[in-house]
Amino acid sequence: MRTDATPYGYRTSRLRALLSWAGVIVAALAISTFFKAFIGAAHAIPSGSMEGTLQIGDRIWAERLSYALGDEPVAGDIVTFIDQRDPSRTLIKRVIATEGQTVDLQDGRVLVDDQVLDEPYTDGKPTLPLKPVAGPSIAYPCTVPAGTVWVMGDNRTDSLDPRAFGPIPEDAITGKAFMRTWPIDRFGALG
């Protein structure tokens, strides 16, 4: 005789199925939370500050593992970081200079340690100083302090970045963008 044919057996199998689904959901949430906290996270691009490389609405993955294991951000990395003015927001920009390097803006070009950067990702748009959004204006040349990096959006004429708010702390970096996942016709690694 089958036990699930009895009212008691039916309730037991239904409870087991419910508990099984609850376990699957809890496990999926735990894995997702672990992945987001330690491995990587998906982000949607909300603004045009990285246009040329990333468009509004693009979806990207940013991995956390390499920086967590001791790698340091280097010039050219596209990083996500906590907005120092609004911690509920995550921003995405390109690393231009790291601690100890000197950033200067001359004739619409960026110089790091007195060398003009080759920046094909800006599509030739000029890089000009910005008005500060908080605190004093940035004086150029500017030496990047210890424990910080200088980041900029690729769309220099439409990017609020350290030209307005100064270098960002390395510990504000939440990941290194490595892949565009949407739209599908531009799926692939970010350089």
Side-chain angles (χ1 to χ4, degrees):
M1 184 161 129
R2 292 176 37 195
T3 57
D4 63 353
T6 66
Y8 177 73
Y10 177 73
R11 276 188 241 125
T12 301
S13 66
R14 201 169 176 188
L15 179 61
R16 282 186 185 159
L18 204 60
L19 288 174
S20 176
W21 275 108
V24 167
I25 291 168
V26 167
L29 288 173
I31 289 168
S32 173
T33 301
F34 174 82
F35 190 85
K36 186 173 182 181
F38 300 104
I39 307 298
H43 299 278
I45 305 304
S47 75
S49 72
M50 287 294 290
E51 281 183 344
T53 302
L54 299 169
Q55 307 303 317
I56 296 172
D58 281 2
R59 303 287 196 269
I60 60 104
W61 273 96
E63 59 91 7
R64 301 173 190 269
L65 213 48
S66 60
Y67 294 148
L69 294 175
D71 285 355
E72 297 289 327
V74 297
D77 286 356
I78 298 173
V79 297
T80 57
F81 59 97
I82 301 299
D83 185 343
Q84 300 300 287
R85 296 160 294 125
D86 180 359
S88 68
R89 291 179 16 158
T90 300
L91 303 177
I92 184 166
K93 308 285 184 206
R94 185 181 301 271
V95 175
I96 300 301
T98 58
E99 68 177 64
Q101 293 187 301
T102 301
V103 176
D104 200 0
L105 305 180
Q106 294 179 8
D107 302 320
R109 298 175 303 165
V110 178
L111 288 80
V112 174
D113 295 335
D114 295 321
Q115 300 295 312
V116 175
L117 292 186
D118 178 27
E119 299 184 292
Y121 42 81
T122 67
D123 292 328
K125 292 179 180 172
T127 304
L128 303 171
L130 297 176
K131 292 181 183 177
V133 292
S137 62
I138 306 298
Y140 296 97
C142 177
T143 300
V144 181
T148 68
V149 294
W150 188 278
V151 296
M152 289 182 167
D154 290 354
N155 184 2
R156 297 295 165 75
T157 57
D158 187 22
S159 176
L160 192 60
D161 54 41
R163 294 174 290 163
F165 54 77
I168 62 159
E170 281 187 30
D171 61 8
I173 295 175
T174 59
K176 178 180 178 181
F178 73 97
M179 180 177 291
R180 180 187 356 253
T181 59
W182 188 261
I184 200 70
D185 63 325
R186 293 189 296 121
F187 176 88
L190 296 172

